[in-house]
Amino acid sequence: MASIRTETIRRLGAINHVTVYRQAVLAFNYLFLGLLAVTVVHPMIWLLYTSLKTGQELFANAWALPEIPQWENYARAWTRANVGRYFFNSLFVTTVSLAGSLLVCSMAGYILSRYEFRGRQIVFFGFISTMMIPSFLGLIPLWFLIRNMGLLGTYTALIPVYIANSIPFSIFFLAAFYKTISYELEEAAIIDGCTNYGVFFRIILPLTKSGLLTIGIFNFLGFWNEFTTALVLITKDVWKTLPLGISTLLIESKYRIDWGALYAGLVIALIPTLVVYIVFQGKLTKGISIGALKG
Amino acid sequence: MATILRRKKWGIIIVFLSPAAILYGVLKLYPYVRGLETSLYRWSGLTTTRTFIGLGNFSRLFNDREVFTYLGHNGFMFLAATVTMILGLIIAAILARSRVKGKNFFRVVFFFPNVMSVSLVAALWSLILSPNFGLLNAFLRSIGLDSLAMTWLGPVWALRSVGAIYVWAGFGWFMLLYIAGIQNIPRTLYEAAEIDGASSVYVFFRITVPLIWELVRTTFVFNVMGALNQFALVYVIFEQTPNPNTDMIANYFYWQAFTNYNFGYAASIVTFTFLITLVVTILTWRITKSQTVSY
C-alpha cells in the first residue's frame, strides 16, 4: 500500500526527509528479518550437511562441506543407534493417542457446548481449569499410579495419559468451534426421527472437520514432541519415544564416538516435524491466531 | 444457548462425557490432588510407608539454599521470555504492516523452531555451541574473532546460552499471536497517522502497542508460567546430569524425586513453585493493567 504522502511527494518530484526515513526503515527491516531468518535456517542446513561427514571431517572443520556424502551414517543411526526403534515408538504412541483424543474430546466438547443440563457450567469449567497448572505437580502420583497398574517402563501408559493431557485445551477449542453451528440443523434432524447419536455422527461431525483438523495437528505435534512424562514413565531403552531417544543419543555418542550417526539421528528426528509443518503450517498458524483472539 | 428439542438427553450425555471424565479424573485431577497432599509427608519412594510431617518439608525448603539458586535461574528465564516477547512483537509489527516482500516466508520460517521438540532444540544447540567442533565458534574463528569463541556451555556462559536458546525457540509463537492482534486494528487509524506524518516508531508505540495491550498482557502471563516450568531444555543440554549453574527448580524437583527418591520433599518443591506461579501471575496481571483504549 503506497502511502498517500510519499505518493504525492514522488509525483511532485521532491525528495523529502520523510521518504529517506521510510527507505531507511525498510532497509533495516529487510536486514533484521534476513539475519533472524539465517539464525533459524542455517543451523538446520548445517545439521544436514554435517550428518553426511565422516568422523574425521567432523573434527577437522565444522564449517566445511563433506567430501563424499556418508549415507551410512543414516543407516547406523537407524539401526545401531536405535533411532528407527524410537521413531516407530513415537509414531505408534502419537497416532493412537491422537485417534483417542479426537474421539474423546469431540464427544465431550459436543455435549458441553450444545446440550443444556444441570451442572454443565461446572463440568466445563472443571475440564478447562487445570490448563494452567504445571504438569510436574501430578508427576509423582502419576508415576505411582502407573507403577501400581504394572505399566511402568513401557509406552503403553503414555497413551491414556496423553489423551488426558489433551482434554483441557481440546475441549476448550472444540467447544468454541461447535458453537458456530446452527441449531436448526439439529432440530430438523430430530424432528425427522434422527437419534441423538445419529445427529452427532452424521450431521455435526462432518461439519466440524476443519476444527478437528486444526486441533488434530496441534495435538499431533504435542504428543510427538512430549518429553517429561515419557521420561518418567519409560525406563527401558527399547520403549523410548523419539524425544527421549534424542537425549539418549546425545549422551551415548560420546562413548560410541560415532558423531556422524548422532547428526544423522537428529536429521531423522527433524524430518517428520518439518514435513508435518510444511504441509499443515497454514492451518496451524491460523488456528493459533484465532485461538489467541478468542482468549 | 438455544434450547432445542431433545429426546431423552441423559443417555448420550453420560455416554459422551464419561470417557473424558474418567481419563481426566484419574490421570489429571487425582494426581494433582495427591501431589499436593504428598508434600505433607516424609516419604522415601523406595518404601511404601510414609510419615506425616505437616509443614516439615516446607521449613526444610525455606532453608535450602539450592531452592533459591534455582529459582533465580527461573527468574533469568523469565527475563529471557520477556525478551522473546519483545522480539516477537517487533517482528509482528514489521510483518503485519511493513512493505517488505515475502512476509509469508518469514512468518513460516520464524515459527518453525516452536514446532521442534525441546529435546531436538537442546541437542541441536548443544552441538552448535560445542567449543571446538560447533558451528558458532567455527564461524567466529573463521572471521578472525577468536577471542569471542567462548565455552558457551561452561560455568560462565551456560545460563545465558540457555536463555538465548529459549529466545530462539520461542519468539515465533509470540510473533504469530501479535500478528493476528495487529491485523485486527482498523486500517483507518494507521492511515490517519500517516497523513499526519507519524514515523513508524511513533505509530508502533502510540497506536500498535496500546491497541493490542490486552493480548500482550495475556502472553506476559504465559511467560511467567513458561519460565517456572522450565525443565527439559536444561536436562537434555547438560546430558541428564545435575548442573548447578543452570538447573531450574523443576530440575531440582526431578533430582529429588527420581534420583534421591525424596518424594515428600520433591512434592513440596512443586507445591511451592505452584504457589509462586499463582502469586506472580496475579501480580503481573494487576501490574500490567491499563485503561482500555476505545476508538
Side-chain angles (χ1 to χ4, degrees):
Chain A
M1 131 201 129
S3 84
I4 301 164
R5 196 180 170 103
T6 45
E7 264 308 293
T8 320
I9 289 166
R10 191 178 64 83
R11 286 179 196 173
L12 292 176
I15 305 269
N16 185 287
H17 71 274
V18 169
T19 5
V20 171
Y21 174 82
R22 286 185 201 271
Q23 308 274 49
V25 167
L26 197 66
F28 169 78
N29 286 345
Y30 273 116
L31 190 66
F32 183 58
L33 292 177
L35 279 175
L36 213 47
V38 167
T39 62
V40 173
V41 174
H42 191 240
M44 314 289 173
I45 298 178
W46 177 71
L47 191 65
L48 200 66
Y49 73 69
T50 310
S51 68
L52 296 171
K53 289 184 177 174
T54 65
Q56 286 167 309
E57 286 177 314
L58 251 157
F59 288 122
N61 184 343
W63 203 246
L65 287 168
E67 277 274 321
I68 311 165
Q70 302 287 311
W71 298 104
E72 305 85 63
N73 286 346
Y74 282 87
R76 283 199 319 280
W78 189 264
T79 49
R80 264 207 275 142
N82 281 329
V83 175
R85 180 84 225 187
Y86 301 144
F87 188 91
F88 279 116
N89 291 347
S90 269
L91 195 62
F92 180 75
V93 171
T94 302
T95 41
V96 178
S97 303
L98 188 61
S101 166
L102 285 175
L103 190 63
V104 168
C105 296
S106 64
M107 297 194 315
Y110 169 65
I111 297 291
L112 290 171
S113 60
R114 298 177 69 87
Y115 271 64
E116 290 264 9
F117 59 94
R118 270 219 330 243
R120 182 184 69 95
Q121 304 272 37
I122 301 173
V123 174
F124 186 66
F125 181 74
F127 273 127
I128 64 175
S129 58
T130 59
M131 258 200 280
M132 305 290 138
I133 303 182
S135 58
F136 294 100
L137 195 58
L139 216 50
I140 294 175
L142 190 65
W143 182 85
F144 248 95
L145 192 64
I146 304 297
R147 201 184 76 157
N148 292 342
M149 287 201 235
L151 291 172
L152 195 66
T154 71
Y155 57 53
T156 325
L158 280 187
I159 294 171
V161 172
Y162 281 177
I163 296 176
N165 282 350
S166 71
I167 287 175
F169 185 71
S170 302
I171 288 187
F172 175 74
F173 183 87
L174 287 173
F177 201 85
Y178 281 121
K179 290 233 163 87
T180 64
I181 301 176
S182 123
Y183 284 94
E184 278 144 14
L185 225 53
E186 284 196 61
E187 245 176 359
I190 290 177
I191 289 171
D192 283 346
C194 192
T195 64
N196 287 332
Y197 297 92
V199 170
F200 176 70
F201 284 106
R202 292 206 257 140
I203 297 178
I204 301 290
L205 215 48
L207 288 176
T208 53
K209 266 199 276 224
S210 170
L212 288 174
L213 183 63
T214 308
I215 199 72
I217 298 163
F218 190 80
N219 282 332
F220 176 87
L221 289 169
F223 299 154
W224 184 262
N225 293 338
E226 205 275 337
F227 185 79
T228 311
T229 315
L231 176 69
V232 169
L233 295 182
I234 297 179
T235 50
K236 297 214 184 67
D237 190 75
V238 71
W239 294 102
K240 288 185 181 164
T241 54
L242 204 49
L244 295 187
I246 292 170
S247 185
T248 308
L249 201 59
L250 194 63
I251 299 169
E252 303 232 321
S253 297
K254 267 204 178 134
Y255 307 120
R256 292 211 208 97
I257 320 183
D258 189 353
W259 298 94
L262 169 62
Y263 282 80
L266 291 186
V267 175
I268 294 175
L270 185 61
I271 286 179
T273 312
L274 190 59
V275 168
V276 168
Y277 182 65
I278 291 178
V279 172
F280 291 110
Q281 53 86 6
K283 273 238 144 253
L284 185 63
T285 54
K286 196 157 70 134
I288 293 175
S289 309
I290 293 173
L293 299 178
K294 284 229 173 84
Chain B
M1 184 162 101
T3 315
I4 79 168
L5 179 69
R6 297 249 191 233
R7 287 191 233 275
K8 291 176 286 194
K9 59 184 184 181
W10 281 100
I12 191 175
I13 290 178
I14 307 272
V15 171
F16 270 26
L17 281 184
S18 310
I22 294 172
L23 283 171
Y24 183 75
V26 172
L27 297 173
K28 278 207 95 68
L29 287 182
Y30 170 74
Y32 281 155
V33 171
R34 277 289 283 219
L36 289 172
E37 188 223 22
T38 310
S39 24
L40 301 173
Y41 288 80
R42 184 204 340 236
W43 184 11
S44 159
L46 303 168
T47 66
T48 39
T49 51
R50 47 183 207 161
T51 21
F52 182 81
I53 54 168
L55 298 175
N57 283 325
F58 292 97
S59 65
R60 176 176 165 192
L61 203 159
F62 283 116
N63 292 319
D64 188 342
R65 194 88 72 69
E66 287 183 271
V67 167
F68 295 98
T69 312
Y70 300 141
L71 281 175
H73 296 163
N74 285 88
F76 183 81
M77 291 309 273
F78 177 69
L79 283 173
T82 309
V83 169
T84 313
M85 211 174 88
I86 295 173
L87 183 62
L89 187 57
I90 294 174
I91 296 178
I94 295 176
L95 288 182
R97 304 223 346 111
S98 165
R99 267 134 66 198
V100 289
K101 300 230 176 59
K103 287 189 231 191
N104 268 340
F105 168 76
F106 284 119
R107 218 189 39 171
V108 171
V109 166
F110 291 152
F111 187 60
F112 183 64
N114 254 79
V115 174
M116 294 168 64
S117 86
V118 197
S119 175
L120 188 56
V121 171
L124 178 62
W125 280 93
S126 167
L127 295 176
I128 294 176
L129 297 178
S130 163
N132 296 319
F133 311 115
L135 182 61
L136 184 58
N137 282 356
F139 171 68
L140 289 171
R141 290 189 185 116
S142 70
I143 59 173
L145 288 172
D146 284 54
S147 56
L148 287 182
M150 313 287 178
T151 32
W152 300 105
L153 299 175
V156 176
W157 285 95
L159 190 60
R160 291 173 238 187
S161 301
V162 172
I165 296 170
Y166 185 90
V167 175
W168 181 87
F171 77 91
W173 185 76
F174 290 102
M175 171 199 72
L176 269 192
L177 295 182
Y178 295 150
I179 288 178
I182 293 175
Q183 285 175 337
N184 252 13
I185 300 175
R187 280 279 164 91
T188 51
L189 287 174
Y190 287 115
E191 282 164 15
E194 257 208 83
I195 292 173
D196 288 343
S199 72
S200 18
V201 172
Y202 184 90
V203 165
F204 178 75
F205 283 107
R206 295 305 193 100
I207 298 181
T208 311
V209 172
L211 285 172
I212 56 168
W213 190 247
E214 287 305 301
L215 182 60
V216 173
R217 278 181 86 198
T218 314
T219 52
F220 199 58
V221 166
F222 275 101
N223 262 355
V224 173
M225 296 191 278
L228 282 158
N229 276 345
Q230 278 300 300
F231 167 76
L233 191 58
V234 169
Y235 184 77
V236 176
I237 293 180
F238 297 100
E239 294 171 9
Q240 308 192 8
T241 329
N243 184 326
N245 296 313
T246 54
D247 274 354
M248 306 280 153
I249 192 74
N251 296 87
Y252 190 49
F253 157 77
Y254 183 80
W255 305 129
Q256 287 295 335
F258 297 105
T259 311
N260 297 345
Y261 288 101
N262 292 333
F263 280 1
Y265 188 51
S268 69
I269 293 174
V270 180
T271 308
F272 182 55
T273 311
F274 175 54
L275 289 172
I276 294 181
T277 313
L278 273 178
V279 172
V280 178
T281 302
I282 294 174
L283 272 176
T284 42
W285 187 251
R286 283 281 164 84
I287 292 177
T288 53
K289 194 173 165 68
S290 127
Q291 275 186 301
T292 356
V293 181
S294 45
Y295 47 82

